[in-house]
mmCIF file of all heavy atoms in Angstrom:
data_model
loop_
_atom_site.group_PDB
_atom_site.id
_atom_site.type_symbol
_atom_site.label_atom_id
_atom_site.label_comp_id
_atom_site.label_asym_id
_atom_site.label_seq_id
_atom_site.Cartn_x
_atom_site.Cartn_y
_atom_site.Cartn_z
ATOM 1 N N SER A 188 32.498 3.661 -54.335
ATOM 2 C CA SER A 188 31.230 3.811 -53.772
ATOM 3 C C SER A 188 30.260 3.023 -54.597
ATOM 4 O O SER A 188 30.114 3.332 -55.826
ATOM 5 C CB SER A 188 30.818 5.275 -53.790
ATOM 6 O OG SER A 188 29.469 5.427 -53.228
ATOM 7 N N PRO A 189 29.587 2.055 -54.038
ATOM 8 C CA PRO A 189 28.644 1.239 -54.856
ATOM 9 C C PRO A 189 27.511 2.082 -55.374
ATOM 10 O O PRO A 189 26.941 1.689 -56.488
ATOM 11 C CB PRO A 189 28.065 0.237 -53.789
ATOM 12 C CG PRO A 189 29.057 0.217 -52.722
ATOM 13 C CD PRO A 189 29.733 1.527 -52.631
ATOM 14 N N ASP A 190 27.109 3.160 -54.834
ATOM 15 C CA ASP A 190 26.062 4.036 -55.347
ATOM 16 C C ASP A 190 26.552 5.030 -56.439
ATOM 17 O O ASP A 190 25.721 5.712 -57.038
ATOM 18 C CB ASP A 190 25.391 4.781 -54.183
ATOM 19 C CG ASP A 190 24.668 3.757 -53.295
ATOM 20 O OD1 ASP A 190 23.948 2.943 -53.782
ATOM 21 O OD2 ASP A 190 24.847 3.897 -52.064
ATOM 22 N N LEU A 191 27.860 5.069 -56.652
ATOM 23 C CA LEU A 191 28.394 5.980 -57.676
ATOM 24 C C LEU A 191 29.327 5.159 -58.631
ATOM 25 O O LEU A 191 30.542 5.234 -58.507
ATOM 26 C CB LEU A 191 29.148 7.094 -57.037
ATOM 27 C CG LEU A 191 28.305 8.139 -56.199
ATOM 28 C CD1 LEU A 191 29.251 9.052 -55.443
ATOM 29 C CD2 LEU A 191 27.403 8.892 -57.104
ATOM 30 N N PRO A 192 28.812 4.418 -59.498
ATOM 31 C CA PRO A 192 29.594 3.581 -60.389
ATOM 32 C C PRO A 192 30.729 4.399 -61.083
ATOM 33 O O PRO A 192 30.427 5.477 -61.575
ATOM 34 C CB PRO A 192 28.643 3.006 -61.333
ATOM 35 C CG PRO A 192 27.355 2.978 -60.649
ATOM 36 C CD PRO A 192 27.386 4.231 -59.808
ATOM 37 N N GLY A 193 31.938 3.912 -61.067
ATOM 38 C CA GLY A 193 33.072 4.578 -61.763
ATOM 39 C C GLY A 193 33.775 5.614 -60.841
ATOM 40 O O GLY A 193 34.817 6.143 -61.311
ATOM 41 N N CYS A 194 33.294 5.840 -59.737
ATOM 42 C CA CYS A 194 33.939 6.742 -58.800
ATOM 43 C C CYS A 194 34.880 5.963 -57.867
ATOM 44 O O CYS A 194 34.361 5.224 -56.983
ATOM 45 C CB CYS A 194 32.867 7.533 -57.996
ATOM 46 S SG CYS A 194 33.598 8.865 -57.045
ATOM 47 N N VAL A 195 36.176 6.112 -58.056
ATOM 48 C CA VAL A 195 37.143 5.324 -57.336
ATOM 49 C C VAL A 195 38.337 6.168 -56.928
ATOM 50 O O VAL A 195 38.504 7.344 -57.461
ATOM 51 C CB VAL A 195 37.656 4.165 -58.195
ATOM 52 C CG1 VAL A 195 36.506 3.172 -58.518
ATOM 53 C CG2 VAL A 195 38.401 4.606 -59.405
ATOM 54 N N ALA A 196 39.124 5.664 -55.950
ATOM 55 C CA ALA A 196 40.303 6.425 -55.535
ATOM 56 C C ALA A 196 41.294 5.329 -54.934
ATOM 57 O O ALA A 196 40.916 4.235 -54.609
ATOM 58 C CB ALA A 196 39.965 7.475 -54.487
ATOM 59 N N VAL A 197 42.527 5.780 -54.909
ATOM 60 C CA VAL A 197 43.569 4.966 -54.241
ATOM 61 C C VAL A 197 44.391 5.816 -53.328
ATOM 62 O O VAL A 197 44.403 7.040 -53.358
ATOM 63 C CB VAL A 197 44.564 4.350 -55.294
ATOM 64 C CG1 VAL A 197 43.820 3.361 -56.219
ATOM 65 C CG2 VAL A 197 45.236 5.383 -56.151
ATOM 66 N N GLY A 198 45.155 5.137 -52.401
ATOM 67 C CA GLY A 198 46.010 5.861 -51.491
ATOM 68 C C GLY A 198 46.892 4.826 -50.718
ATOM 69 O O GLY A 198 46.656 3.633 -50.732
ATOM 70 N N ASP A 199 47.976 5.432 -50.128
ATOM 71 C CA ASP A 199 48.890 4.504 -49.431
ATOM 72 C C ASP A 199 48.481 4.072 -48.065
ATOM 73 O O ASP A 199 48.970 3.087 -47.627
ATOM 74 C CB ASP A 199 50.242 5.297 -49.317
ATOM 75 C CG ASP A 199 50.951 5.478 -50.599
ATOM 76 O OD1 ASP A 199 50.737 4.690 -51.568
ATOM 77 O OD2 ASP A 199 51.663 6.516 -50.772
ATOM 78 N N THR A 200 47.543 4.769 -47.502
ATOM 79 C CA THR A 200 46.976 4.379 -46.210
ATOM 80 C C THR A 200 45.466 4.436 -46.292
ATOM 81 O O THR A 200 44.891 5.105 -47.189
ATOM 82 C CB THR A 200 47.416 5.344 -45.142
ATOM 83 O OG1 THR A 200 46.946 6.685 -45.366
ATOM 84 C CG2 THR A 200 49.004 5.383 -45.039
ATOM 85 N N PRO A 201 44.749 3.840 -45.277
ATOM 86 C CA PRO A 201 43.275 4.011 -45.234
ATOM 87 C C PRO A 201 42.833 5.448 -45.159
ATOM 88 O O PRO A 201 41.885 5.883 -45.771
ATOM 89 C CB PRO A 201 42.886 3.171 -44.005
ATOM 90 C CG PRO A 201 43.957 2.204 -43.758
ATOM 91 C CD PRO A 201 45.158 2.843 -44.231
ATOM 92 N N GLU A 202 43.629 6.209 -44.361
ATOM 93 C CA GLU A 202 43.289 7.651 -44.190
ATOM 94 C C GLU A 202 43.409 8.391 -45.485
ATOM 95 O O GLU A 202 42.634 9.245 -45.845
ATOM 96 C CB GLU A 202 44.056 8.256 -43.111
ATOM 97 C CG GLU A 202 43.879 7.680 -41.757
ATOM 98 C CD GLU A 202 44.576 6.360 -41.435
ATOM 99 O OE1 GLU A 202 45.505 5.977 -42.203
ATOM 100 O OE2 GLU A 202 44.152 5.687 -40.480
ATOM 101 N N GLU A 203 44.529 8.122 -46.261
ATOM 102 C CA GLU A 203 44.738 8.815 -47.493
ATOM 103 C C GLU A 203 43.695 8.447 -48.508
ATOM 104 O O GLU A 203 43.183 9.312 -49.245
ATOM 105 C CB GLU A 203 46.179 8.446 -48.038
ATOM 106 C CG GLU A 203 46.501 9.222 -49.316
ATOM 107 C CD GLU A 203 47.820 8.945 -49.888
ATOM 108 O OE1 GLU A 203 48.474 7.883 -49.457
ATOM 109 O OE2 GLU A 203 48.274 9.708 -50.699
ATOM 110 N N VAL A 204 43.337 7.109 -48.620
ATOM 111 C CA VAL A 204 42.302 6.693 -49.638
ATOM 112 C C VAL A 204 40.959 7.293 -49.285
ATOM 113 O O VAL A 204 40.234 7.733 -50.101
ATOM 114 C CB VAL A 204 42.242 5.173 -49.814
ATOM 115 C CG1 VAL A 204 41.589 4.508 -48.737
ATOM 116 C CG2 VAL A 204 41.610 4.863 -51.124
ATOM 117 N N GLU A 205 40.699 7.466 -47.939
ATOM 118 C CA GLU A 205 39.393 8.087 -47.564
ATOM 119 C C GLU A 205 39.365 9.538 -47.971
ATOM 120 O O GLU A 205 38.419 9.993 -48.504
ATOM 121 C CB GLU A 205 39.169 7.944 -46.073
ATOM 122 C CG GLU A 205 37.840 8.492 -45.613
ATOM 123 C CD GLU A 205 37.595 8.330 -44.121
ATOM 124 O OE1 GLU A 205 38.210 7.363 -43.584
ATOM 125 O OE2 GLU A 205 36.802 9.005 -43.588
ATOM 126 N N LYS A 206 40.483 10.230 -47.748
ATOM 127 C CA LYS A 206 40.565 11.616 -48.188
ATOM 128 C C LYS A 206 40.442 11.747 -49.723
ATOM 129 O O LYS A 206 39.749 12.614 -50.223
ATOM 130 C CB LYS A 206 41.949 12.229 -47.671
ATOM 131 C CG LYS A 206 42.255 13.635 -48.100
ATOM 132 C CD LYS A 206 43.601 14.027 -47.561
ATOM 133 C CE LYS A 206 44.250 15.128 -48.404
ATOM 134 N NZ LYS A 206 44.849 14.708 -49.618
ATOM 135 N N ASN A 207 41.170 10.894 -50.414
ATOM 136 C CA ASN A 207 41.111 10.980 -51.915
ATOM 137 C C ASN A 207 39.691 10.594 -52.376
ATOM 138 O O ASN A 207 39.226 11.190 -53.402
ATOM 139 C CB ASN A 207 42.134 9.998 -52.482
ATOM 140 C CG ASN A 207 43.608 10.445 -52.224
ATOM 141 O OD1 ASN A 207 43.825 11.612 -51.822
ATOM 142 N ND2 ASN A 207 44.503 9.573 -52.399
ATOM 143 N N MET A 208 39.009 9.652 -51.689
ATOM 144 C CA MET A 208 37.659 9.263 -52.169
ATOM 145 C C MET A 208 36.739 10.417 -51.845
ATOM 146 O O MET A 208 35.794 10.660 -52.668
ATOM 147 C CB MET A 208 37.266 7.991 -51.399
ATOM 148 C CG MET A 208 36.018 7.389 -51.949
ATOM 149 S SD MET A 208 36.249 6.843 -53.680
ATOM 150 C CE MET A 208 34.522 6.491 -54.108
ATOM 151 N N HIS A 209 36.883 11.081 -50.735
ATOM 152 C CA HIS A 209 36.054 12.299 -50.437
ATOM 153 C C HIS A 209 36.149 13.326 -51.550
ATOM 154 O O HIS A 209 35.135 13.794 -52.056
ATOM 155 C CB HIS A 209 36.506 12.967 -49.116
ATOM 156 C CG HIS A 209 35.669 13.993 -48.670
ATOM 157 N ND1 HIS A 209 35.862 15.335 -49.020
ATOM 158 C CD2 HIS A 209 34.574 13.996 -47.815
ATOM 159 C CE1 HIS A 209 34.911 16.031 -48.388
ATOM 160 N NE2 HIS A 209 34.175 15.312 -47.695
ATOM 161 N N GLU A 210 37.350 13.596 -52.036
ATOM 162 C CA GLU A 210 37.576 14.486 -53.127
ATOM 163 C C GLU A 210 36.975 13.974 -54.440
ATOM 164 O O GLU A 210 36.324 14.715 -55.234
ATOM 165 C CB GLU A 210 39.026 14.874 -53.308
ATOM 166 C CG GLU A 210 39.298 15.978 -54.218
ATOM 167 C CD GLU A 210 38.700 17.298 -53.822
ATOM 168 O OE1 GLU A 210 38.496 17.505 -52.606
ATOM 169 O OE2 GLU A 210 38.435 18.181 -54.634
ATOM 170 N N ALA A 211 37.181 12.688 -54.685
ATOM 171 C CA ALA A 211 36.595 12.044 -55.939
ATOM 172 C C ALA A 211 35.151 12.166 -56.006
ATOM 173 O O ALA A 211 34.559 12.421 -57.016
ATOM 174 C CB ALA A 211 37.093 10.592 -55.992
ATOM 175 N N ILE A 212 34.463 11.860 -54.813
ATOM 176 C CA ILE A 212 32.982 11.966 -54.833
ATOM 177 C C ILE A 212 32.516 13.432 -55.040
ATOM 178 O O ILE A 212 31.588 13.645 -55.802
ATOM 179 C CB ILE A 212 32.474 11.444 -53.452
ATOM 180 C CG1 ILE A 212 32.689 9.879 -53.401
ATOM 181 C CG2 ILE A 212 30.991 11.791 -53.303
ATOM 182 C CD1 ILE A 212 32.276 9.274 -52.111
ATOM 183 N N LYS A 213 33.184 14.384 -54.390
ATOM 184 C CA LYS A 213 32.821 15.780 -54.646
ATOM 185 C C LYS A 213 32.863 16.099 -56.148
ATOM 186 O O LYS A 213 31.973 16.765 -56.693
ATOM 187 C CB LYS A 213 33.732 16.738 -53.858
ATOM 188 C CG LYS A 213 33.402 16.777 -52.386
ATOM 189 C CD LYS A 213 34.355 17.621 -51.588
ATOM 190 C CE LYS A 213 34.862 18.880 -52.164
ATOM 191 N NZ LYS A 213 35.794 19.670 -51.310
ATOM 192 N N ILE A 214 34.007 15.726 -56.769
ATOM 193 C CA ILE A 214 34.209 16.020 -58.236
ATOM 194 C C ILE A 214 33.157 15.265 -59.059
ATOM 195 O O ILE A 214 32.568 15.858 -59.966
ATOM 196 C CB ILE A 214 35.674 15.669 -58.677
ATOM 197 C CG1 ILE A 214 36.602 16.650 -57.987
ATOM 198 C CG2 ILE A 214 35.748 15.687 -60.160
ATOM 199 C CD1 ILE A 214 38.075 16.185 -58.093
ATOM 200 N N HIS A 215 32.908 13.977 -58.687
ATOM 201 C CA HIS A 215 31.958 13.195 -59.465
ATOM 202 C C HIS A 215 30.563 13.818 -59.422
ATOM 203 O O HIS A 215 29.902 13.904 -60.378
ATOM 204 C CB HIS A 215 31.967 11.769 -58.890
ATOM 205 C CG HIS A 215 31.234 10.740 -59.652
ATOM 206 N ND1 HIS A 215 31.882 9.998 -60.679
ATOM 207 C CD2 HIS A 215 29.890 10.367 -59.622
ATOM 208 C CE1 HIS A 215 30.963 9.205 -61.147
ATOM 209 N NE2 HIS A 215 29.785 9.347 -60.620
ATOM 210 N N VAL A 216 30.086 14.115 -58.176
ATOM 211 C CA VAL A 216 28.767 14.679 -58.027
ATOM 212 C C VAL A 216 28.677 16.006 -58.648
ATOM 213 O O VAL A 216 27.676 16.341 -59.310
ATOM 214 C CB VAL A 216 28.347 14.690 -56.531
ATOM 215 C CG1 VAL A 216 27.097 15.460 -56.289
ATOM 216 C CG2 VAL A 216 28.199 13.243 -55.963
ATOM 217 N N GLN A 217 29.712 16.873 -58.537
ATOM 218 C CA GLN A 217 29.681 18.191 -59.151
ATOM 219 C C GLN A 217 29.529 18.022 -60.686
ATOM 220 O O GLN A 217 28.830 18.843 -61.293
ATOM 221 C CB GLN A 217 30.896 19.038 -58.778
ATOM 222 C CG GLN A 217 30.851 20.403 -59.306
ATOM 223 C CD GLN A 217 29.690 21.225 -58.723
ATOM 224 O OE1 GLN A 217 29.433 21.206 -57.540
ATOM 225 N NE2 GLN A 217 28.980 21.907 -59.597
ATOM 226 N N GLY A 218 30.307 17.081 -61.326
ATOM 227 C CA GLY A 218 30.113 16.792 -62.688
ATOM 228 C C GLY A 218 28.765 16.381 -63.106
ATOM 229 O O GLY A 218 28.234 16.795 -64.155
ATOM 230 N N MET A 219 28.114 15.574 -62.236
ATOM 231 C CA MET A 219 26.814 15.164 -62.571
ATOM 232 C C MET A 219 25.809 16.344 -62.553
ATOM 233 O O MET A 219 24.943 16.455 -63.406
ATOM 234 C CB MET A 219 26.326 14.023 -61.547
ATOM 235 C CG MET A 219 27.086 12.779 -61.699
ATOM 236 S SD MET A 219 26.587 11.509 -60.513
ATOM 237 C CE MET A 219 25.081 10.899 -61.368
ATOM 238 N N ILE A 220 25.972 17.228 -61.514
ATOM 239 C CA ILE A 220 25.131 18.428 -61.456
ATOM 240 C C ILE A 220 25.360 19.271 -62.702
ATOM 241 O O ILE A 220 24.386 19.725 -63.292
ATOM 242 C CB ILE A 220 25.436 19.225 -60.204
ATOM 243 C CG1 ILE A 220 24.994 18.381 -58.984
ATOM 244 C CG2 ILE A 220 24.865 20.622 -60.218
ATOM 245 C CD1 ILE A 220 25.561 18.907 -57.644
ATOM 246 N N GLU A 221 26.623 19.490 -63.153
ATOM 247 C CA GLU A 221 26.905 20.299 -64.273
ATOM 248 C C GLU A 221 26.302 19.711 -65.536
ATOM 249 O O GLU A 221 25.941 20.388 -66.453
ATOM 250 C CB GLU A 221 28.404 20.523 -64.429
ATOM 251 C CG GLU A 221 28.961 21.437 -63.283
ATOM 252 C CD GLU A 221 30.486 21.568 -63.316
ATOM 253 O OE1 GLU A 221 31.129 20.898 -64.224
ATOM 254 O OE2 GLU A 221 31.026 22.088 -62.410
ATOM 255 N N ASP A 222 26.302 18.317 -65.613
ATOM 256 C CA ASP A 222 25.723 17.658 -66.780
ATOM 257 C C ASP A 222 24.205 17.465 -66.714
ATOM 258 O O ASP A 222 23.650 16.764 -67.530
ATOM 259 C CB ASP A 222 26.447 16.349 -67.005
ATOM 260 C CG ASP A 222 27.888 16.487 -67.389
ATOM 261 O OD1 ASP A 222 28.276 17.561 -67.842
ATOM 262 O OD2 ASP A 222 28.657 15.441 -67.252
ATOM 263 N N HIS A 223 23.617 18.037 -65.681
ATOM 264 C CA HIS A 223 22.183 17.888 -65.410
ATOM 265 C C HIS A 223 21.727 16.506 -65.256
ATOM 266 O O HIS A 223 20.631 16.084 -65.752
ATOM 267 C CB HIS A 223 21.323 18.655 -66.553
ATOM 268 C CG HIS A 223 21.790 20.045 -66.697
ATOM 269 N ND1 HIS A 223 21.434 21.011 -65.783
ATOM 270 C CD2 HIS A 223 22.551 20.694 -67.676
ATOM 271 C CE1 HIS A 223 21.930 22.231 -66.183
ATOM 272 N NE2 HIS A 223 22.614 21.998 -67.287
ATOM 273 N N GLU A 224 22.564 15.639 -64.689
ATOM 274 C CA GLU A 224 22.229 14.274 -64.399
ATOM 275 C C GLU A 224 21.682 14.154 -63.059
ATOM 276 O O GLU A 224 22.125 14.895 -62.144
ATOM 277 C CB GLU A 224 23.458 13.373 -64.576
ATOM 278 C CG GLU A 224 24.017 13.310 -65.954
ATOM 279 C CD GLU A 224 25.324 12.455 -66.040
ATOM 280 O OE1 GLU A 224 25.612 11.841 -65.021
ATOM 281 O OE2 GLU A 224 25.989 12.520 -67.074
ATOM 282 N N PRO A 225 20.784 13.256 -62.820
ATOM 283 C CA PRO A 225 20.265 13.036 -61.398
ATOM 284 C C PRO A 225 21.320 12.507 -60.497
ATOM 285 O O PRO A 225 22.101 11.604 -60.882
ATOM 286 C CB PRO A 225 19.110 12.089 -61.574
ATOM 287 C CG PRO A 225 19.371 11.316 -62.860
ATOM 288 C CD PRO A 225 20.157 12.300 -63.692
ATOM 289 N N ILE A 226 21.324 12.980 -59.296
ATOM 290 C CA ILE A 226 22.271 12.410 -58.295
ATOM 291 C C ILE A 226 21.596 11.165 -57.654
ATOM 292 O O ILE A 226 20.487 11.251 -57.223
ATOM 293 C CB ILE A 226 22.558 13.389 -57.186
ATOM 294 C CG1 ILE A 226 23.029 14.766 -57.730
ATOM 295 C CG2 ILE A 226 23.565 12.860 -56.139
ATOM 296 C CD1 ILE A 226 24.236 14.720 -58.667
#
């Protein structure tokens, strides 16, 4: 995601990488919230 530097994912299919990226973004944003960083 160009708007979330360092947030990446991989997968064997486009559908799998999209699913993995969805989870990666959730974790990334939750970590930013916990660290009191602006989204």
Side-chain angles (χ1 to χ4, degrees):
S188 177
D190 293 312
L191 294 170
C194 188
V195 299
V197 297
D199 291 331
T200 64
E202 296 79 17
E203 182 179 18
V204 77
E205 183 176 340
K206 176 179 155 283
N207 293 346
M208 192 63 190
H209 186 271
E210 191 62 26
I212 290 173
K213 282 176 39 180
I214 292 168
H215 191 90
V216 170
Q217 188 60 45
M219 294 179 81
I220 291 168
E221 290 171 6
D222 292 341
H223 305 287
E224 296 177 10
I226 306 306

